[in-house]
Amino acid sequence: MKYILLPLLLLGTTITFAQKTDKKKDSLPDGWKSKGLMELLFSQSAFNDNWQGGGTSNVAGNFNLNWDVNYKRKKLNWDTKLTAILGLAATKDQVFVRKTTDRLELNSLVGSRIDSSKWYYSGLFNFRTQMAPGYEFFDRQVLNDAGEVIETVQDRKLITTSFSPAYLQIGPGLLWKESNDFKLNVAPATARFIFVNSRFTTVNENDPAAIEAYEPFFGVQANENVRFELGASVSAYHKEELFENIVFENTLNLYADYLENTKNVDIDYTLNVAMQVNKYITTNLAVQLIYDENAISGLQVREVLGVGLKYAFLEWKS
């Protein structure tokens, strides 16, 4: 429960501050509205052999893509958002390029307005996964025929792959929508599927010791590649320019499974702060908090800060 309080506090603080600003709300005109944003963020450090202050030469880069498509016609509202983020880093003393961030997510929310209120009957579709393989890095000792250590080399172990794991959520619910930038959806009967590659779950069925030693991979049992859950889902989204050229974007997703571990609530909260320098230069801060006992029993934290190039595209209305 304590892990839920921090994202709710951050989201609530942003919303409270935003309500104090005198900004014109989205009037939600009929028709199509689309807006896309692509960013390339870079960082680099270099040290020569005489540098005494400590440090290792490195280069890192992040690619960010956000694409929003909104449709409104009479009582019908349909909002779709695509997010793709991939970050890589290379360090002089490391053999392998390492992944710093990786996320591919598609959210689609359709709603039918209830009378003249801000409430809608809704349908939720959410797909979330990763694009590149994930590795665990370690040092490995190389032995000679006599069993003596002759060298230590860097090595890695594959722990996840592209689209493994992948999460799919579908469910009916109720949507409260102030604008395209401020909405809350509650889906009390949401089906969730977790897909994984069978290479991580394959166990010899004739080996009782191997079956007993197997630990569920993102909740998926041995010799299976899909896990089904049925539970309640709550999702909130808020985006606001609180200061000139500084945009705060909050995304919060909560999920509670009815079938197993009913007291546990999965949390996925992301805060993005975009600080615009000029038309093409931007600074981004991203903080993500994840709590999912199917992955690990603990809070996962990701923070990325970068400066780079921004390009807005596909902005149109009809």
Side-chain angles (χ1 to χ4, degrees), residues 123-182:
L124 167 72
F125 174 90
N126 172 269
F127 178 78
R128 173 169 56 91
T129 187
Q130 62 184 41
M131 294 174 281
Y135 296 92
E136 177 184 324
F137 298 91
F138 56 92
D139 291 331
R140 178 172 56 83
Q141 294 180 335
V142 179
L143 308 179
N144 59 17
D145 294 338
E148 299 170 332
V149 177
I150 57 176
E151 65 174 327
T152 300
V153 299
Q154 296 181 24
D155 206 345
R156 63 183 183 180
K157 175 186 176 183
L158 185 69
I159 55 175
T160 57
T161 61
S162 303
F163 295 90
S164 177
Y167 299 84
L168 174 64
Q169 289 186 194
I170 304 174
L174 288 174
L175 166 68
W176 180 87
K177 184 172 182 179
E178 173 71 22
S179 69
N180 287 337
D181 294 331
F182 191 12

Side-chain angles (χ1 to χ4, degrees), residues 238-300:
H238 181 251
K239 180 179 179 181
E240 191 81 23
E241 184 177 356
L242 298 184
F243 309 100
E244 185 177 0
N245 294 327
I246 302 179
V247 177
F248 288 73
E249 182 182 46
N250 293 271
T251 304
L252 175 64
N253 291 289
L254 306 175
Y255 185 84
D257 184 17
Y258 295 143
L259 305 180
E260 295 181 22
N261 301 321
T262 55
K263 294 182 179 180
N264 292 333
V265 178
D266 293 344
I267 306 167
D268 190 341
Y269 170 74
T270 302
L271 169 65
N272 282 306
V273 183
M275 295 161 275
Q276 188 71 31
V277 179
N278 56 38
K279 185 177 180 181
Y280 298 106
I281 305 296
T282 184
T283 299
N284 268 41
L285 170 65
V287 179
Q288 184 178 12
L289 308 177
I290 294 179
Y291 180 78
D292 182 357
E293 284 205 347
N294 287 329
I296 187 172
S297 183
L299 182 65
Q300 303 175 60

Side-chain angles (χ1 to χ4, degrees), residues 26 74-75 118 149 153 159 162 165 173 196 231 260 295 305:
D26 187 347
K74 298 181 179 179
K75 291 187 175 183
K118 296 180 180 179
V149 177
V153 299
I159 55 175
S162 303
V196 300
E260 295 181 22
L305 174 64

Side-chain angles (χ1 to χ4, degrees), residues 71-200:
Y71 177 75
K72 179 178 180 295
R73 182 65 63 188
K74 298 181 179 179
K75 291 187 175 183
L76 177 66
N77 272 268
W78 184 16
D79 300 330
T80 300
K81 182 179 183 67
L82 173 66
T83 302
I85 304 172
L86 181 63
L88 300 172
T91 305
K92 183 179 179 181
D93 61 356
Q94 294 176 347
V95 175
F96 303 105
V97 174
R98 304 198 178 196
K99 185 169 63 173
T100 57
T101 184
D102 187 356
R103 186 179 185 90
L104 177 64
E105 184 167 359
L106 177 65
N107 281 290
S108 193
L109 191 60
V110 62
S112 177
R113 192 169 187 175
I114 303 175
D115 298 327
S116 299
S117 69
K118 296 180 180 179
W119 287 96
Y120 299 76
Y121 298 113
S122 66
L124 167 72
F125 174 90
N126 172 269
F127 178 78
R128 173 169 56 91
T129 187
Q130 62 184 41
M131 294 174 281
Y135 296 92
E136 177 184 324
F137 298 91
F138 56 92
D139 291 331
R140 178 172 56 83
Q141 294 180 335
V142 179
L143 308 179
N144 59 17
D145 294 338
E148 299 170 332
V149 177
I150 57 176
E151 65 174 327
T152 300
V153 299
Q154 296 181 24
D155 206 345
R156 63 183 183 180
K157 175 186 176 183
L158 185 69
I159 55 175
T160 57
T161 61
S162 303
F163 295 90
S164 177
Y167 299 84
L168 174 64
Q169 289 186 194
I170 304 174
L174 288 174
L175 166 68
W176 180 87
K177 184 172 182 179
E178 173 71 22
S179 69
N180 287 337
D181 294 331
F182 191 12
K183 49 198 169 186
L184 171 71
N185 188 73
V186 179
T190 301
R192 182 166 80 163
F193 300 87
I194 304 175
F195 303 94
V196 300
N197 192 306
S198 58
R199 66 186 298 172
F200 300 109

Side-chain angles (χ1 to χ4, degrees), residues 224-237:
E224 298 181 4
N225 59 7
V226 180
R227 173 185 171 90
F228 172 75
E229 297 179 346
L230 179 65
S233 170
V234 177
S235 58
Y237 178 79

